[in-house]
Amino acid sequence: TAAQIVSLVNRLYPLYMRWGSFTVNMKVNADNGSQWSYNTRTGMIPSGVTNPAVFMVCDWGKKHFKSQSFQYKVASNGRDIDWEAYLEHTSDQGGTYVFKVYYLIVGKNAEGGSIVG
């Protein structure tokens, strides 16, 4: 159970872990071009967490485009995550897409461990 994992982790190291997902809606033009979208997910890393490691991946709506990239970084305030999705497409791929972004955040927690799903 999550409680057992937290108990074990707290004995070894003050660990913070959070995982989940969010969606990105992107309108793709019916041309041979590119689109991009960006935003900031605020408050993703609590103030007591230090040395956060972030892993994010986009499922691209289970579609294949000419080129696609998903980038992210911890913002300068140490709590938010800035992300950007970019894709190049063909003219027959126009439409509105819903992409799912999965994330995992791991860091040191000075106040003891917690695992948030």
Side-chain angles (χ1 to χ4, degrees):
T1 68
Q4 291 170 317
I5 293 170
V6 169
S7 176
L8 174 65
V9 168
N10 281 338
R11 282 186 254 147
L12 301 174
Y13 195 75
L15 179 70
Y16 171 84
M17 263 189 343
R18 177 180 180 182
W19 66 88
S21 64
F22 61 91
T23 58
V24 175
N25 296 312
M26 188 182 293
K27 183 179 182 307
V28 173
N29 296 328
D31 59 6
N32 288 317
S34 60
Q35 316 308 138
W36 64 291
S37 182
Y38 62 92
N39 208 331
T40 299
R41 299 288 296 186
T42 59
M44 295 285 287
I45 303 168
S47 60
V49 173
T50 59
N51 300 91
V54 177
F55 177 73
M56 294 179 122
V57 63
C58 181
D59 75 351
W60 299 108
K62 299 182 174 71
K63 304 285 185 205
H64 178 73
F65 297 94
K66 246 169 107 173
S67 176
Q68 56 212 28
S69 70
F70 187 82
Q71 300 174 47
Y72 55 91
K73 69 176 183 170
V74 176
S76 59
N77 67 7
R79 300 192 62 219
D80 302 339
I81 299 174
D82 299 326
W83 61 265
E84 178 181 307
Y86 171 83
L87 59 87
E88 293 180 29
H89 55 84
T90 57
S91 60
D92 62 344
Q93 291 180 308
T96 300
Y97 292 87
V98 178
F99 304 135
K100 195 157 193 176
V101 176
Y102 298 91
Y103 63 85
L104 171 66
I105 302 168
V106 179
K108 289 172 57 176
N109 187 352
E111 300 172 14
S114 68
I115 298 178
V116 183

